[in-house]
Amino acid sequence: MIDVVVSGVLFDMDGTLVDSTAVVEEAWSRFGATHGIDPVEILAFSHGRQTIDTVRRFLPDLPEDEQRDIVDAMIAAEIGYVDGIVEVPGAGAFVQRLLDLGAPVALVTSAPRELAVERMTAAGVPVPEALVPSEDAERSKPHPEGYLRGAALLGVPAEQCLAFEDAPAGVEAALASGATTVVVGDLEASVTAGLPRIAGYTGLTVEREGSAFRIRG
């Protein structure tokens, strides 16, 4: 159950607004097969994090320029691959409702800008003007830098924002920023204990209350 009044809204992307599971799993499965690493182990770590952090985690002895080459190749392979990418139920209408009411909304994603815009567009979810992609955050989730930057772009303290997340690293980042945090999906982890959760956005309502916004569902 959610019933909060906030001044801004912060969204993760993959798994939170956009279901890109098939694309992401295929990319990391190829990486695992190439380097002899169990994809299950990779996916358990990678969700919600920047690609470079995962490459560093599993290929720590590789020179940095070679790590970056792998990341660039992986991202290039994902650009233009939108088959099977769909919205999390109700995400597009919910984001549009927020924007129509004039709510400050930011997207905070571990994906690069081009890939984020492409996936959001493919899923039919509006892309907010305020966007913090991987290239704009030096420190990946679970560090709160991305969410703090997102709130700053909105001109709203993070403590007055509502954040939607689906991955352990992302939930940690949102909480560390001070934002009220909602878990999207069925994630069960120590960091989600006591947090409100939703399966999708179809049951949520938004109403303007002066300069703030009440979100219920």
Side-chain angles (χ1 to χ4, degrees), residues 5-25:
V5 177
V6 295
S7 299
V9 183
L10 306 167
F11 289 100
D12 170 53
M13 183 183 69
D14 288 311
T16 298
L17 291 174
V18 172
D19 183 352
S20 55
T21 303
V23 176
V24 172
E25 288 186 352

Side-chain angles (χ1 to χ4, degrees), residues 6 18 25 28 33 38 42 47 62 65 76 79 98 104 124 126 137 143 146 152 157 200 206 211:
V6 295
V18 172
E25 288 186 352
W28 285 119
D38 184 354
I42 299 170
H47 193 41
L62 206 63
D65 59 341
I79 296 292
L98 289 167
H143 194 281
V206 186
S211 61

Side-chain angles (χ1 to χ4, degrees), residues 54-100:
T54 302
V55 172
R56 286 171 177 159
R57 165 67 174 79
F58 290 97
L59 299 175
D61 298 327
L62 206 63
E64 184 175 353
D65 59 341
E66 294 184 33
Q67 292 174 340
R68 290 286 179 184
D69 286 345
I70 290 173
V71 171
D72 291 345
M74 290 183 68
I75 291 172
E78 291 182 57
I79 296 292
Y81 185 4
V82 296
D83 289 349
I85 291 180
V86 296
E87 68 170 354
V88 171
F94 181 65
V95 174
Q96 190 62 59
R97 171 66 173 162
L98 289 167
L99 296 174
D100 288 345

